[in-house]
Amino acid sequence: MTIKRLVAAMLLAGLSNSVLAEQSFTVQDIQVEGLQRVALGAALNNLPFNIGDTITDTTLSRSIKSLYAAGHFDDIQVFRDGSTVIYRLKERPTINNIEFDGNKDIKEEQLNESLTGQKIIVGEPLDKTVIKEVENGLTEFYHGVGKYNATVKMKVTYLPRNRVNLKIEFEEGDAASVRQINVVGNELFSDEELLKNIESKYDLPWWRFLSSDRYQKQTLQGDFEKIRSYYLDRGYLRFNIDANQVSVSTDKNSVYVTLNVTEGEQYTITGVDFVGDLIGQDAFIKALLPLKAGQLYNGALVTYTEESIAKLLARFGYANSKVRTIPTINDDTKEVALTISVEPGKRVYVRRLEVAGNASTKDEVIRREVRQMEGAWLSNDALELSKERIQRLPYIEKVEFETKEVAGVDDKVDVSYKIKEQPSGNFNAGISYGDFQGLSFQIGVEQQNFFGTGNSAGISLSTNRYNKQISLSVTDPYFTLDGVSLGGQIFYSDTDYSSLSSNLEAYKQKRYGFGASIGYPINEYNRLNFGSNYAVNEINSLSEYDQLRHFRAVLMDKNDPDGGYKFTNYELVASWIQSTLNRGLFPTAGHEMVLSGRITTPNSDLQYFKTTFEARKYIPLSNDHRWSFLSKLELGYGNGYGSKDGYDYTLPFTDNFYAGGQNLRGFEARIIGPHAIYRQISTVPGLPNPTGLAGAFPTDPSFDTYLVSPRSTGGNAMAIATLELITPTPFVGEDYVNQIRTSLFVDAGNVWDTEFDLSRYDGLSPTTSQNFNSPALLDYSDPGLIRISTGLSLQWISPMGPLTFSLAKIIQKEEGDDQENFSFNIGTTF
């Protein structure tokens, strides 16, 4: 900074008219020269006098300081011409652009934030006095992360119109490695025991190539605290780190760390007392207190106690409480008495709740999930529960909240919830033509946040030669303010399952009906749902395989045995849902259990029930939840009740369970489970019939044969278990962490038919046919057989709906299982 000292001008007061005299005078005019960017009025506002004021040389001296303090000028000169004061100013150049070159360890966002703190901002004047300060600060940062050879240089390029470009050049160099860590003064615990849990590593073997021995100052400071905690947690209350030294090698490529400690002796707690205000929760706090007289002092338990009391106070609105433990140490007896001081402070109330970031979802949809009320006291539990409930919505990706103090008030805050939305439904549309399916048209929309109302709605329409269907469903999760939900659906489908891709034994089915449901919240985590359905089924072109014996017996019209089957069912539905998941889609913590049941009423054409149970639990393996472990169990069982014409009702094959595809990855869809069995009656030639053709007579049933179809019929029982390791997705930025999921999985399970008697085929031989596979029957029906696959799964919440990609390997493959090891699904749900 160039400052023209006014003192010299004052000493030469009698030599020039432009020099100020050391006497008072009245200002008749003020002239300012050199202004380009700064307005004249802004410059004059920084002067401590106005025209007409009587001033002295001291006043002029203070005016220079005032102009410099404004931060707009590099050089200031002041002259006096009679009663006129003249300022000649040189403005600071304006920053036109800031460029970074060579920075790898520091992101540009961090650099811009740091420069903003130094008031180095594009469009603002440059104070060249801070350039050296910025260079030194960045260099110090590099030293803190172990790069002692790093240099930082800021270059200034002058441009026309008093502008400058700034370029900060970085030469980071290599980070120094930790060559050795020595602990001096430890006798109770070895260096190995003290250093095994710290983050700073040294002398790593070659096979630990994923670990790093890079020196970082902050990491080392954290390691010192871990060593301190190691002693305090074991009662060594007087433990102290006397000194620590970090020595840098001459080539600046490695560091040596020395830690001098005094271990002291173990101290026993003689008692725990409280002072302050426990807000009436004295008995509760003391009953749960983990610190007891007679036990060794434990620093971790002391910290846990303080945090627990603070959290308890926060539940009752005391968000700014102060809890601290005061030890009274007796060095002679090696005992310590603990006094816990509790200062709740003022109870804090919520003035206003704000919701931001919800571009599609209405505010009321978010607010109805919030359990922290306006006007009520601030509760951390209510805030966290509100966050969980909002984040559990399937159309919300992420939720963060913050509390803001109300200016001028010390007992009120505003709470702001910041929402990040994600795609909340599926959409598909298309038209095509093929030799088999003919003209195909389809359109479907499923939206779980219909027009931002939080209601779920879906409509699907498709038609081609083998499939025609339309369905419409809608659910209002908040039909009442208490969270009672109401939903309904209507549906119609006409499907031909003769397509080989269906993997089902061929038949044609027409199904239509409608239903309604209502749900009741029990508490924050449990919900009961009830419903009823009216459904009509028409089935024809059905192959007469053996598993249909009971189904045919109760439904077949004896006067028209080839006329197909039609049955009407009145269904009652109930379910219980318990969920503590932290997110609606791609959760990483918590659990969910769903138990559901469906039963037809006695006046239905078929009498049966069907139950399913699904449980999944997520266990986070890292603090950021990027690594998580999932265990999942899916069970199902169905059967008939009652009888007709001497035949017991069974679960109709149209409601059977299937496995493969989405729930047992690596196997083809619906391929796992019992397959259709055809019994071939053995015959011998007989006398000619009236037409003249040779007749045939059945022989002994022990000579019969059977065929096993490659197509599945499903079964009435199912069990599938999944173990899944959720991992970070490579090459995916932070913005997509909650939209893309990668995992390694193992799926295991099977589907069985518990009502079909396989012993009827004991001793029979399979028939060879070019259209059928004939593996051993137990391959498909043995309850002890478990199908297993393992592989890699990639899931993506795309703008058009959820998408799943999985690559799986079948590691148990039985005879007759010609399965693909690769599956690809679009528009699936998780």
Side-chain angles (χ1 to χ4, degrees), residues 53-286:
D53 291 347
T54 300
I55 64 173
T56 64
D57 297 336
T58 303
T59 307
L60 291 177
S61 178
R62 285 192 291 110
S63 72
I64 295 177
K65 294 180 180 179
S66 297
L67 288 171
Y68 271 118
H72 298 298
F73 308 107
D74 264 347
D75 185 38
I76 301 172
Q77 300 180 37
V78 60
F79 301 91
R80 174 185 169 193
D81 185 4
S83 298
T84 300
V85 178
I86 303 171
Y87 289 93
R88 292 178 183 171
L89 310 176
K90 182 179 180 182
E91 292 183 353
R92 288 178 176 174
T94 302
I95 300 174
N96 179 67
N97 184 48
I98 301 175
E99 181 183 355
F100 308 107
D101 182 35
N103 56 304
K104 295 180 181 178
D105 270 13
I106 313 180
K107 296 181 179 180
E108 290 194 6
E109 292 81 2
Q110 294 174 293
L111 288 170
N112 283 319
E113 184 178 346
S114 175
L115 294 179
T116 300
Q118 299 285 346
K119 297 183 179 181
I120 298 181
I121 307 170
V122 172
E124 296 295 323
L126 172 65
D127 183 0
K128 289 183 287 187
T129 61
V130 303
I131 290 179
K132 195 64 179 177
E133 184 178 345
V134 171
E135 293 175 342
N136 292 338
L138 292 174
T139 302
E140 183 64 26
F141 168 83
Y142 280 108
H143 288 178
V145 297
K147 293 193 172 184
Y148 290 99
N149 290 311
T151 59
V152 181
K153 184 68 176 178
M154 182 182 291
K155 291 186 176 180
V156 181
T157 303
Y158 290 89
L159 303 174
R161 302 194 305 277
N162 200 27
R163 297 173 301 138
V164 293
N165 283 343
L166 300 182
K167 183 177 182 180
I168 304 179
E169 297 180 344
F170 300 83
E171 292 186 9
E172 295 183 339
D174 295 327
S177 60
V178 179
R179 182 62 58 87
Q180 194 172 20
I181 302 178
N182 296 313
V183 183
V184 179
N186 55 313
E187 298 178 356
L188 299 169
F189 305 103
S190 65
D191 286 13
E192 182 180 2
E193 190 170 0
L194 294 175
L195 301 179
K196 66 180 180 181
N197 293 320
I198 68 173
E199 292 188 38
S200 300
K201 305 297 181 182
Y202 70 97
D203 195 23
L204 292 171
W206 64 269
W207 60 83
R208 296 187 60 180
F209 57 90
L210 294 178
S211 301
S212 174
D213 58 0
R214 175 176 174 172
Y215 166 75
Q216 296 194 58
K217 183 178 180 180
Q218 290 183 341
T219 300
L220 189 62
Q221 292 299 324
D223 292 336
F224 292 163
E225 291 305 313
K226 286 183 178 180
I227 294 174
R228 184 190 304 277
S229 297
Y230 189 86
Y231 278 92
L232 292 179
D233 295 348
R234 288 157 178 78
Y236 295 93
L237 186 57
R238 290 298 192 185
F239 172 82
N240 187 53
I241 298 178
D242 301 321
N244 65 83
Q245 302 90 30
V246 178
S247 303
V248 183
S249 63
T250 55
D251 58 5
K252 298 183 179 181
N253 290 326
S254 57
V255 298
Y256 299 84
V257 181
T258 302
L259 194 65
N260 297 87
V261 303
T262 298
E263 294 178 315
E265 298 185 39
Q266 289 179 310
Y267 283 72
T268 303
I269 298 175
T270 59
V272 182
D273 198 7
F274 289 89
V275 295
D277 184 6
L278 299 183
I279 64 169
Q281 300 295 321
D282 309 49
F284 180 76
I285 292 175
K286 292 176 181 179

Side-chain angles (χ1 to χ4, degrees), residues 646-703:
Y647 290 94
D648 293 336
Y649 284 107
T650 59
L651 184 71
F653 73 96
T654 54
D655 277 89
N656 275 348
F657 296 101
Y658 300 93
Q662 186 65 23
N663 60 356
L664 199 54
R665 290 162 286 191
F667 294 91
E668 290 184 26
R670 300 183 295 271
I671 198 66
I672 302 301
H675 286 215
I677 302 174
Y678 294 83
R679 184 162 183 157
Q680 305 294 315
I681 299 176
S682 178
T683 62
V684 295
L687 296 174
N689 59 29
T691 63
L693 297 176
F697 293 92
T699 63
D700 188 284
S702 62
F703 294 101

Side-chain angles (χ1 to χ4, degrees), residues 379-488:
S379 170
N380 284 348
D381 284 358
L383 291 175
E384 289 293 343
L385 179 59
S386 302
K387 175 182 175 180
E388 288 182 10
R389 289 184 61 87
I390 297 172
Q391 202 162 253
R392 214 175 288 158
L393 297 173
Y395 38 88
I396 300 299
E397 178 184 337
K398 187 178 181 181
V399 180
E400 297 293 343
F401 68 84
E402 63 175 340
T403 58
K404 304 175 183 177
E405 295 182 357
V406 178
V409 184
D410 61 355
D411 63 347
K412 290 185 179 180
V413 296
D414 292 335
V415 178
S416 176
Y417 285 93
K418 187 175 182 181
I419 311 298
K420 184 178 181 182
E421 298 172 311
Q422 66 184 4
S424 57
N426 301 327
F427 173 80
N428 61 78
I431 184 170
S432 62
Y433 179 83
D435 291 339
F436 174 70
Q437 76 270 17
L439 182 64
S440 175
F441 170 79
Q442 66 177 8
I443 183 171
V445 178
E446 182 181 353
Q447 179 62 251
Q448 294 177 309
N449 187 21
F450 191 66
F451 289 116
T453 62
N455 299 338
S456 63
I459 182 171
S460 176
L461 172 65
S462 66
T463 177
N464 54 46
R465 185 175 296 171
Y466 60 87
N467 182 34
K468 298 178 180 64
Q469 67 174 17
I470 182 172
S471 65
L472 175 65
S473 64
V474 61
T475 300
D476 183 353
Y478 275 84
F479 181 70
T480 70
L481 294 177
D482 296 329
V484 175
S485 64
L486 183 65

Side-chain angles (χ1 to χ4, degrees), residues 601-773:
T601 59
N603 62 327
S604 300
D605 290 337
L606 293 177
Q607 297 175 15
Y608 64 91
F609 64 89
K610 186 177 182 180
T611 60
T612 60
F613 175 75
E614 182 176 337
R616 52 179 176 152
K617 182 175 181 60
Y618 293 85
I619 302 175
L621 303 178
S622 60
N623 292 333
D624 60 2
H625 289 209
R626 298 291 296 274
W627 293 83
S628 187
F629 180 76
L630 164 65
S631 59
K632 181 180 177 182
L633 177 65
E634 186 177 357
L635 303 175
Y637 179 76
N639 213 330
Y641 69 93
S643 62
K644 178 182 178 182
D645 299 333
Y647 290 94
D648 293 336
Y649 284 107
T650 59
L651 184 71
F653 73 96
T654 54
D655 277 89
N656 275 348
F657 296 101
Y658 300 93
Q662 186 65 23
N663 60 356
L664 199 54
R665 290 162 286 191
F667 294 91
E668 290 184 26
R670 300 183 295 271
I671 198 66
I672 302 301
H675 286 215
I677 302 174
Y678 294 83
R679 184 162 183 157
Q680 305 294 315
I681 299 176
S682 178
T683 62
V684 295
L687 296 174
N689 59 29
T691 63
L693 297 176
F697 293 92
T699 63
D700 188 284
S702 62
F703 294 101
D704 291 351
T705 58
Y706 66 85
L707 298 173
V708 179
S709 170
R711 296 189 176 199
S712 175
T713 64
N716 70 317
M718 176 188 66
I720 296 175
T722 294
L723 298 177
E724 199 159 345
L725 177 63
I726 300 168
T727 67
T729 305
F731 314 114
V732 172
E734 291 293 330
D735 293 340
Y736 297 94
V737 167
N738 294 323
Q739 299 180 30
I740 299 177
R741 167 164 289 182
T742 305
S743 62
L744 302 173
F745 66 84
V746 176
D747 293 338
N750 205 353
V751 174
W752 305 276
D753 188 340
T754 65
E755 295 299 305
F756 188 64
D757 185 11
L758 285 175
S759 64
R760 300 171 54 206
Y761 304 92
D762 290 347
L764 300 185
S765 302
T767 299
T768 303
S769 170
Q770 62 180 3
N771 296 322
F772 291 88
N773 296 322

